[in-house]
Amino acid sequence: MKKNEAKGAEEHTYHIDRKSYEPAYSQLANLLRRQIADGVFSPGDRLPSEAELRERYEVSPMTVRRAINTLVDQNVVSTMQGLGTFVRRLDLGTAAFHLQNVQNLLSDTASATVNLLDARIVSADESIAERLGLAVGNNTIYLKRLLMVDDEPAFFHREYLVYDPARPIVEAEMEATSLEGLFDIGSSNILKRGELTVEAAIMSEEEAHILQVALPAAAFRLEHVFFDFDERPTSWGWFVCRSDRLKLTTNVGIEPEE
Amino acid sequence: MKKNEAKGAEEHTYHIDRKSYEPAYSQLANLLRRQIADGVFSPGDRLPSEAELRERYEVSPMTVRRAINTLVDQNVVSTMQGLGTFVRRLDLGTAAFHLQNVQNLLSDTASATVNLLDARIVSADESIAERLGLAVGNNTIYLKRLLMVDDEPAFFHREYLVYDPARPIVEAEMEATSLEGLFDIGSSNILKRGELTVEAAIMSEEEAHILQVALPAAAFRLEHVFFDFDERPTSWGWFVCRSDRLKLTTNVGIEPEE
DNA sequence: AAGTGGTCTAGACCACTAT
DNA sequence: TAGTGGTCTAGACCACTTT
């Protein structure tokens, strides 16, 4: 059985190197994860107790605990007080899709540029007023941007900003014609938090035209509302992404190395 | 200025209650996050040093460190060795969408049921063979499931499983007609990890018919490949979700409480 | 009662950054 | 040199679970 071969062959390679630059807690976490990946411990199995691990690898209690906590954070094991630490089964529910991946993807292609297509004052209609907590007819700043990757349109962005002389102006927002500015939204330091939703949508005729795709076309729609430190909505907008230019990917379960 | 009012009024409410059931490190993390939310510390500001916090709140170094690490994990602050701990600015790149939210959503509606629409042996075509690491013509188990919520179709699932007498059979997979079975995929304990991708797509005619929506319709497509502990692909499949029944939501930035 | 994980202490030493 | 975060120790005490 392949599993047992691996178990026997590599049993003596699980150790902590105190001369390494990698911290002991990290080495221990990786070591345990590798043992699980190798089948030494299977889903449902109990790991050695913290006292055993402390003795076997000659580290202090806090170091063992930190290693275990790392594995808990990675959904590799779960702990039950009074019972022990157990290897988790594969579970789709632990999956998470990180926007950072998208950002890295775009940053890697050095050819990503942002064009400001439109910027003007518009009067809030009902939906804008509702999202931004304004009265209908109040002024807002409307921005429309197009992000190009490799000279091809990838996604575009619409945004409505509160326009109120009594509030600090979000000038940095209007100058956000760089990729960094689009993601590092709060460069003005007045925004506290945001609410995000992603949905699948059919592109409108205008969207398809700007992004140069044929209808009907599917798109990701990432909507955002940002709030300032007084909890007032300050920005409402959404990204529309060509589905052929964007895939969200992630892994779940036991990865060989982190 | 509203910010300063809050700052003055609540300054004396930031303290740690040693009689509380909430651990000190957690209280300290929440306390600091609340101060940031209240504007006591703004994005870019340096937090008090760990030595100061240790003295001010009368806790040990490890307790301070754990509180700080908690905030680092929550993307609230970032640390720089030799410099200090700084409040992070709002950053879209820190956002993550968790499938757990979807699972909870479906679990809450007690009326979610899974119907097995089809289950049979099919011969692997080129794309199936490639994904499952098989030769064209090898046998696979084909499953088709429909998940209903409130007596309405919400999404459906296709899956191809390796069918090989030499491998442990994934019997649990075939019996997965419960919601739990769909998400807690590895109930047979033979699956180690999975690769997931989400994309926006246009429904096929068959998909639209099964899910009872009019064409053209947008849909989330969640594709998965699962590997066993010998790193062999074992399951390839995908979920197709009605976009009006599924939205991925998340928050980013400084939340008032965790 | 024995064994488990969970919290916390009061330091030590190190690596890094600034002046 | 002084101050910062990063790691690690060697225990203590507690809460919980099983025998």
Side-chain angles (χ1 to χ4, degrees):
Chain A
M1 199 190 198
K2 224 172 167 180
K3 251 197 236 177
N4 289 334
E5 286 171 32
K7 182 176 178 176
E10 307 187 20
E11 197 152 15
H12 297 292
T13 69
Y14 304 121
H15 63 273
I16 290 178
D17 175 14
R18 305 311 292 245
K19 297 189 298 292
S20 168
Y21 285 110
E22 188 185 2
Y25 74 87
S26 174
Q27 288 188 54
L28 181 52
N30 287 329
L31 181 159
L32 292 171
R33 187 148 36 73
R34 214 179 313 126
Q35 287 187 342
I36 294 166
D38 290 346
V40 178
F41 305 113
S42 296
D45 285 357
R46 214 204 74 191
L47 249 49
S49 74
E50 301 188 356
E52 288 179 273
L53 293 173
R54 188 173 71 218
E55 194 167 325
R56 183 180 306 177
Y57 297 104
E58 298 182 307
V59 290
S60 75
M62 286 299 283
T63 302
V64 173
R65 285 208 59 70
R66 185 154 179 194
I68 299 290
N69 281 337
T70 302
L71 296 181
V72 170
D73 289 344
Q74 294 167 352
N75 299 307
V76 171
V77 304
S78 64
T79 58
M80 282 186 281
Q81 192 170 19
L83 283 176
T85 302
F86 299 87
V87 180
R88 292 191 62 166
R89 293 196 302 229
L90 191 59
D91 178 7
L92 266 191
T94 66
F97 297 91
H98 294 263
L99 283 189
Q100 189 69 59
N101 298 341
V102 179
Q103 194 173 2
N104 293 341
L105 198 76
L106 296 173
S107 304
D108 286 349
T109 39
S111 54
T113 59
V114 179
N115 299 325
L116 189 60
L117 299 185
D118 198 355
R120 57 176 206 271
I121 306 289
V122 304
S123 172
D125 65 17
E126 204 164 306
S127 65
I128 299 173
E130 187 191 336
R131 259 86 170 197
L132 292 180
L134 302 173
V136 172
N138 279 128
N139 281 338
T140 64
I141 302 168
Y142 171 64
L143 300 174
K144 192 162 78 171
R145 300 188 183 91
L146 176 64
L147 184 129
M148 311 277 292
V149 176
D150 298 328
D151 296 322
E152 266 195 55
F155 61 82
F156 81 91
H157 182 218
R158 292 175 197 274
E159 187 177 24
Y160 296 91
L161 296 163
V162 171
Y163 180 59
D164 178 356
R167 294 205 210 173
I169 307 263
V170 200
E171 289 181 20
E173 276 284 357
M174 299 201 52
E175 293 160 3
T177 52
S178 69
L179 179 62
E180 193 183 77
L182 267 186
F183 274 86
D184 195 3
I185 292 283
S187 42
S188 59
N189 281 359
I190 68 162
L191 297 177
K192 180 165 80 170
R193 65 181 190 87
E195 294 171 357
L196 305 178
T197 68
V198 164
E199 53 191 327
I202 301 272
M203 279 194 206
S204 70
E205 210 162 312
E206 183 200 6
E207 291 164 352
H209 180 254
I210 294 179
L211 294 175
Q212 299 176 15
V213 293
L215 280 169
F220 276 114
R221 187 174 180 281
L222 171 65
E223 184 174 341
H224 60 80
V225 182
F226 295 123
F227 299 83
D228 66 14
F229 276 88
D230 292 322
E231 281 291 331
R232 296 178 298 195
T234 300
S235 157
W236 170 52
W238 61 93
F239 296 84
V240 175
C241 311
R242 278 176 60 166
S243 60
D244 60 337
R245 301 300 294 268
L246 178 69
K247 279 187 188 175
L248 298 173
T249 69
T250 193
N251 297 308
V252 66
I254 318 291
E255 299 294 316
E257 281 302 317
E258 198 69 13
Chain B
M1 198 190 200
K2 221 172 170 184
K3 247 197 243 182
N4 289 335
E5 285 172 30
K7 182 176 176 175
E10 307 187 20
E11 197 151 16
H12 298 290
T13 69
Y14 304 121
H15 63 273
I16 290 177
D17 176 14
R18 304 312 291 247
K19 297 190 299 292
S20 167
Y21 286 109
E22 189 185 4
Y25 73 88
S26 174
Q27 288 188 54
L28 181 52
N30 286 329
L31 182 159
L32 292 170
R33 189 149 35 75
R34 214 179 312 126
Q35 287 188 341
I36 294 167
D38 291 345
V40 177
F41 305 113
S42 296
D45 286 357
R46 213 204 76 189
L47 249 49
S49 75
E50 301 188 356
E52 288 179 274
L53 293 173
R54 189 173 69 217
E55 194 166 326
R56 184 181 305 177
Y57 297 105
E58 298 182 305
V59 291
S60 76
M62 286 298 283
T63 302
V64 173
R65 287 208 56 72
R66 184 156 182 193
I68 299 289
N69 282 336
T70 301
L71 296 180
V72 170
D73 289 344
Q74 294 168 350
N75 299 307
V76 171
V77 303
S78 64
T79 58
M80 282 185 281
Q81 192 172 19
L83 284 174
T85 302
F86 299 87
V87 180
R88 291 192 64 165
R89 293 195 303 230
L90 192 58
D91 178 6
L92 267 191
T94 67
F97 296 92
H98 294 263
L99 282 189
Q100 189 69 59
N101 297 341
V102 179
Q103 193 173 0
N104 293 342
L105 198 76
L106 296 174
S107 304
D108 287 349
T109 41
S111 53
T113 59
V114 179
N115 298 325
L116 190 59
L117 299 186
D118 198 354
R120 57 176 205 271
I121 306 289
V122 305
S123 171
D125 65 18
E126 205 165 306
S127 65
I128 299 173
E130 188 192 335
R131 260 85 169 199
L132 291 180
L134 302 175
V136 173
N138 279 126
N139 280 340
T140 65
I141 301 168
Y142 171 65
L143 300 174
K144 193 161 79 171
R145 299 188 183 91
L146 175 65
L147 185 132
M148 311 278 293
V149 177
D150 299 327
D151 294 324
E152 268 195 54
F155 60 82
F156 82 104
H157 181 218
R158 289 176 200 275
E159 187 177 24
Y160 296 91
L161 295 163
V162 170
Y163 180 59
D164 178 355
R167 296 206 210 173
I169 307 262
V170 201
E171 287 182 20
E173 277 285 356
M174 299 201 50
E175 293 160 5
T177 52
S178 69
L179 181 61
E180 192 184 76
L182 267 186
F183 275 87
D184 195 3
I185 291 283
S187 43
S188 58
N189 281 359
I190 69 162
L191 296 176
K192 180 165 80 170
R193 64 182 190 87
E195 294 171 358
L196 305 177
T197 68
V198 164
E199 54 191 326
I202 302 273
M203 278 191 207
S204 71
E205 210 163 312
E206 184 200 5
E207 291 164 351
H209 179 254
I210 293 179
L211 293 175
Q212 299 176 15
V213 293
L215 281 170
F220 276 114
R221 187 174 180 280
L222 171 64
E223 184 175 342
H224 61 79
V225 182
F226 295 122
F227 298 82
D228 66 15
F229 276 89
D230 292 322
E231 280 293 330
R232 295 179 298 195
T234 300
S235 156
W236 170 52
W238 61 93
F239 296 83
V240 174
C241 312
R242 277 176 60 166
S243 60
D244 61 335
R245 299 301 292 269
L246 178 69
K247 279 187 188 176
L248 298 173
T249 69
T250 192
N251 298 308
V252 67
I254 318 292
E255 299 294 316
E257 282 302 320
E258 197 69 14

